[in-house]
């Protein structure tokens, strides 16, 4: 979708917010109080926007038209995953604990929508592909935080990872499949927390094989 100057993309806001969270986490020993305060004020603004475009079904409107003061009534699988991950990280690392009750309501609904409900319509669902890697990372954060229903969302992360491997057949796909690595590593975190050595071994094997192939394609990379 091409966005005009009058439109705000929810996905862009979520990704920028994720970058702010990682900046504050990674540079916490170097940011001044004023500097961190500046980043946190921007994060507050972006979180307010994202909460404004929340939809009744647990998703987020995929854009906001400024001149109409109107959000889209339709969502995006990619943006849902990105924003869910942001809410999890903001709650865990930026003390936005007011988001936890929202997450405990939203996360199971999104897990169901992009797994069993999506697969009932199409086992190779494009919506699952859009959500899967973001969802796995979000559910890993959720499981590690041990919020309500964490075990079920851990199951969802594993289901998405196995879908990427066995239904999406990501290892056989041409082009840049780096997106899958993020998801597989999210599921790996869940498996590690559960002490599931067999799952960890499977996920690590697929991830390493994809990485080797991607590095081989890298211009100026070590395996060129």
């Amino acid at each position: 979708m091409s966005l005009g100057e009058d439109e705000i993309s929810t996905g862009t806001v979520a990704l920028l917010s994720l970058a702010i969270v990682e900046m504050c986490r990674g540079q916490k020993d170097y940011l001044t109080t004023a500097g961190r305060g500046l980043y946190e004020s921007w994060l507050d603004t972006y979180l307010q926007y994202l909460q404004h475009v929340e939809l009744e079904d647990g998703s987020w409107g995929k854009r906001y038209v400024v001149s109409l003061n109107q959000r889209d009534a339709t969502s995006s699988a990619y943006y849902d995953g990105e924003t869910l991950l942001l809410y999890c990280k903001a709650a865990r690392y930026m003390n936005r604990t007011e988001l936890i009750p929202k997450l405990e309501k939203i996360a199971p609904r999104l897990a169901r929508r992009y797994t069993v409900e999506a697969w009932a319509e199409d086992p190779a669902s494009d919506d699952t592909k859009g959500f899967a890697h973001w969802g796995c990372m979000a559910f890993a954060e959720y499981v590690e935080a041990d919020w309500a229903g964490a075990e079920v969302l851990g199951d969802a992360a594993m289901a998405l990872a196995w879908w990427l491997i066995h239904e999406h057949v990501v290892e056989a796909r041409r082009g840049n499949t780096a997106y899958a690595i993020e998801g597989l590593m999210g599921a790996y975190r869940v498996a590690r927390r559960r002490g599931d050595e067999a799952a960890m071994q499977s996920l690590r094997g697929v991830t390493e094989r994809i990485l080797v192939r991607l590095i081989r394609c890298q211009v100026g990379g070590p395996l060129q």
Side-chain angles (χ1 to χ4, degrees):
M1 179 177 64
S2 177
L3 293 176
E5 294 182 358
D6 191 41
E7 301 173 8
I8 300 172
S9 164
T10 296
T12 299
V13 175
L15 290 174
L16 178 55
S17 300
L18 281 166
I20 291 174
V21 172
E22 294 307 315
M23 166 67 77
C24 290
R25 291 180 67 199
Q27 300 298 318
K28 63 182 179 181
D29 294 332
Y30 305 99
L31 284 172
T32 63
T33 301
R36 184 178 177 89
L38 177 64
Y39 284 115
E40 289 190 351
S41 69
W42 278 111
L43 180 62
D44 285 340
T45 298
Y46 297 143
L47 285 172
Q48 287 175 21
Y49 163 82
L50 292 167
Q51 290 179 83
H52 178 70
V53 297
E54 289 174 1
L55 302 175
E56 294 293 329
D57 63 0
S59 289
W60 291 266
K62 63 184 178 182
R63 66 173 184 167
Y64 174 76
V65 181
V66 177
S67 61
L68 300 177
N69 189 26
Q70 183 175 325
R71 66 186 181 193
D72 274 354
T74 56
S75 59
S76 157
Y78 290 92
Y79 297 176
D80 280 354
E82 293 162 1
T83 310
L84 181 66
L85 176 60
L86 169 65
Y87 275 31
C88 288
K89 286 198 167 193
R92 284 196 75 186
Y93 307 118
M94 301 297 287
N95 199 34
R96 272 32 178 215
T97 54
E98 73 279 2
L99 294 173
I100 296 175
K102 284 180 179 286
L103 284 164
E104 292 175 343
K105 179 180 179 181
I106 290 171
R109 298 177 72 177
L110 294 178
R112 183 172 60 252
R113 177 180 310 156
Y114 291 114
T115 56
V116 293
E117 291 179 2
W119 299 335
E121 295 184 8
D122 179 7
S125 172
D126 285 340
D127 283 343
T128 300
K129 177 185 177 293
F131 179 82
H133 58 294
W134 299 105
C136 283
M137 289 189 286
F139 297 149
E141 298 287 348
Y142 197 107
V143 168
E144 290 170 355
D146 198 26
W147 293 321
E151 191 67 19
V152 171
L153 292 172
D155 291 343
M158 302 307 298
L160 289 167
W162 301 139
W163 181 90
L164 283 168
I165 294 170
H166 299 296
E167 178 64 40
H168 188 60
V169 198
V170 67
E171 281 195 84
R173 291 183 175 267
R174 295 175 179 267
N176 187 346
T177 52
Y179 62 88
I181 292 173
E182 297 176 315
L184 297 177
M185 286 294 91
Y188 183 91
R189 289 162 57 188
V190 174
R192 180 177 59 191
R193 186 171 179 91
R194 292 176 166 184
D196 188 340
E197 295 290 340
M200 290 167 64
Q201 184 175 355
S202 295
L203 291 164
R204 179 172 178 173
V206 174
T207 300
E208 289 180 345
R209 290 192 294 272
I210 293 174
L211 278 173
V212 167
R213 181 174 63 79
L214 290 173
I215 293 171
R216 189 180 295 121
C217 298
Q218 185 178 15
V219 175
L223 301 181
Q224 185 173 4

